[in-house]
Amino acid sequence: MRRGLTLLPLGLLLLAAAEIAVFVAVAHALGAGWAVLLIALSSVGGLILLRREGIRGWRAFRTAAQAGQPPGRQVSDSLVGLLGAILLAAPGFVTAVAGLLLIVPPGRILARHAVTRFTERRVSGVVAGDLFGPRHVRVHQSDPINDPAPSDAAQTVTRAAVTGEVVEGEIVR
């Protein structure tokens, strides 16, 4: 986390340089007036979309909570939509394109899955289950007689951590 915060000023500086370069290229191709008009229109559209996404996200969250369903999908979808609207509202062509990619359905779905995976890795299993619903588990049957013995480190951890019958498996979404 600290590495990301220390690189933030450099990232913002690179973003500003990219925005200026793209603006100059668009102004050269279309004219300065059209370039400024496009930026103004994308910013106004982003502000309108920001309000709509915020209201829509809050309603989806309330509906899921009242129905007793896990609100994680609605929350992550709303976060992606809000981020896309904020990027669209920020003046500049690079941020506008990034915002549009988060607003259109294919980009929104990919970003929502990334937010979900990130959240599931960062929070405990109980919290992830409360947010996104029950986890789906694929169980593998193991035969201790025919399976090769695990490494010594795995045996030590297994003996120390688990007593009784063990079910091996993996989490599948």
Side-chain angles (χ1 to χ4, degrees):
M1 185 73 169
R2 292 183 192 259
R3 179 184 296 166
L5 291 178
T6 57
L7 294 178
L8 183 65
L10 178 63
L12 290 175
L13 183 65
L14 290 174
L15 177 64
E19 289 286 6
I20 291 170
V22 171
F23 179 79
V24 168
V26 170
H28 181 66
L30 299 177
W34 287 108
V36 170
L37 182 65
L38 283 173
I39 287 178
L41 287 175
S42 72
S43 293
V44 169
L47 290 173
I48 292 169
L49 193 62
L50 185 63
R51 181 173 185 266
R52 185 181 73 103
E53 286 293 322
I55 292 170
R56 188 177 134 227
W58 179 249
R59 285 182 183 156
F61 173 75
R62 281 187 31 209
T63 303
Q66 288 174 351
Q69 298 173 345
R73 184 176 188 275
Q74 289 82 4
V75 170
S76 58
D77 192 44
S78 297
L79 286 175
V80 170
L82 286 172
L83 179 62
I86 289 170
L87 288 174
L88 196 58
F93 291 109
V94 175
T95 55
V97 168
L100 282 175
L101 287 175
L102 291 176
I103 296 297
V104 296
R108 191 176 196 140
I109 291 169
L110 289 173
R112 184 181 67 227
H113 289 305
V115 167
T116 301
R117 282 193 310 271
F118 177 80
T119 305
E120 286 176 342
R121 277 185 268 145
R122 294 285 179 160
V123 299
S124 70
V126 173
V127 174
D130 288 344
L131 280 175
F132 301 108
R135 308 290 85 203
H136 302 282
V137 178
R138 181 179 298 149
V139 176
H140 302 284
Q141 297 292 333
S142 64
D143 184 9
I145 297 173
N146 295 328
D147 285 347
S151 67
D152 291 336
Q155 285 180 352
T156 304
V157 171
T158 302
R159 285 186 197 140
V162 179
T163 57
E165 189 173 327
V166 175
V167 177
E168 296 179 14
E170 63 183 87
I171 304 283
V172 178
R173 184 79 172 130

